[in-house]
Amino acid sequence: SQQGEEDPQALSIQEGENATMNCSYKTSINNLQWYRQNSGRGLVHLILIRSNEREKHSGRLRVTLDTSKKSSSLLITASRAADTASYFCATDHSGYSTLTFGKGTMLLVSP
Amino acid sequence: ETGVTQTPRHLVMGMTNKKSLKCEQHLGHNAMYWYKQSAKKPLELMFVYSLEERVENNSVPSRFSPECPNSSHLFLHLHTLQPEDSALYLCASSLGLDTQYFGPGTRLTVL
């Protein structure tokens, strides 16, 4: 299976702290994306990083990609209670017509 | 708002009922997807339509029947469902394999 695996499964932090989530995958990718899902709602795209990129920023988000280790990390800096959600990585593998989503990390940010 | 709408947002049906879920996008995308999200399970891809043709059907039971009459609309017809089919059904659309835009989902309960 090409399915990505997020780590940790759940993360609980205080407001203002940084949150780091990791994603590992098994076969080579064209790009890797991170999505966020609030409880019971649809997923929202956060950021896309291509296989030839190593780091990307968007606001308080920083994504890194290490293709040699087949892993990516999502860092949320200065977290807020509103960041509470599930975060998924999704990978685009050559030869596959769709993205492959991981199981997600549940992030809880307490005020 | 992602530009992808789904109706209804909530649906309760008996095992003998026939119902349909509707998804609509006016983003100019050329691919549409149905996903199933059950509690504590990864996002499961059910169907993919690219340019209105079905390109992938991940061994979904025949009691789920998709229909894509044009590039903006996608339906999921449901009949004789089982209680284990209760889940959040998400529709998404994309232009190629870059970013998928998700609808808010339909919460389905099968009694």
Side-chain angles (χ1 to χ4, degrees):
Chain A
S1 166
Q2 284 67 38
Q3 187 172 65
E5 291 283 337
E6 288 92 342
D7 168 60
Q9 288 188 332
L11 180 61
S12 183
I13 59 175
Q14 298 289 318
E15 260 191 331
E17 294 180 338
N18 296 341
T20 299
M21 290 159 268
N22 303 295
C23 170
S24 60
Y25 55 92
K26 294 179 181 174
T27 59
S28 62
I29 60 171
N30 298 315
N31 68 62
L32 185 145
Q33 305 176 37
W34 285 91
Y35 289 79
R36 164 198 167 123
Q37 183 181 34
N38 286 67
S39 179
R41 303 298 301 272
L43 280 72
V44 176
H45 179 259
L46 294 176
I47 197 165
L48 179 152
I49 186 165
R50 301 198 184 277
S51 60
N52 61 353
E53 297 176 307
R54 291 296 166 259
E55 188 170 312
K56 206 159 182 182
H57 296 253
S58 177
R60 293 183 296 112
L61 306 180
R62 180 171 79 99
V63 169
T64 61
L65 179 64
D66 186 335
T67 52
S68 66
K69 294 181 179 178
K70 294 186 171 58
S71 67
S72 172
S73 68
L74 171 67
L75 169 67
I76 304 175
T77 59
S79 63
R80 305 167 183 167
D83 294 328
T84 295
S86 291
Y87 292 82
F88 296 85
C89 69
T91 45
D92 167 16
H93 300 270
S94 295
Y96 284 78
S97 57
T98 65
L99 297 178
T100 304
F101 284 83
K103 295 180 182 179
T105 292
M106 289 182 60
L107 173 65
L108 173 64
V109 182
S110 302
Chain B
E1 288 293 330
T2 61
V4 180
T5 59
Q6 287 186 245
T7 54
R9 294 292 309 276
H10 300 271
L11 179 62
V12 180
M13 59 188 289
M15 290 191 284
T16 58
N17 291 159
K18 288 185 181 181
K19 296 285 183 184
S20 295
L21 309 185
K22 180 182 177 182
C23 176
E24 191 169 349
Q25 61 91 8
H26 294 287
L27 301 169
H29 290 169
N30 57 8
M32 296 186 78
Y33 312 78
W34 279 117
Y35 289 91
K36 176 184 177 182
Q37 188 176 38
S38 306
K40 299 181 181 178
K41 279 186 159 185
L43 206 58
E44 298 174 60
L45 177 65
M46 300 176 73
F47 300 103
V48 180
Y49 276 83
S50 178
L51 299 172
E52 300 159 45
E53 287 192 12
R54 192 161 75 188
V55 297
E56 197 157 321
N57 169 7
N58 287 310
S59 303
V60 178
S62 59
R63 57 186 184 268
F64 294 92
S65 174
E67 179 190 1
C68 188
N70 55 60
S71 59
S72 299
H73 294 87
L74 184 65
F75 294 90
L76 186 62
H77 303 299
L78 317 171
H79 63 99
T80 59
L81 294 192
Q82 305 297 311
E84 60 264 29
D85 296 323
S86 298
L88 181 67
Y89 288 83
L90 293 165
C91 172
S93 70
S94 69
L95 194 62
L97 275 177
D98 273 0
T99 299
Q100 291 190 14
Y101 291 79
F102 283 79
T106 295
R107 174 67 63 186
L108 174 67
T109 302
V110 181
L111 301 176

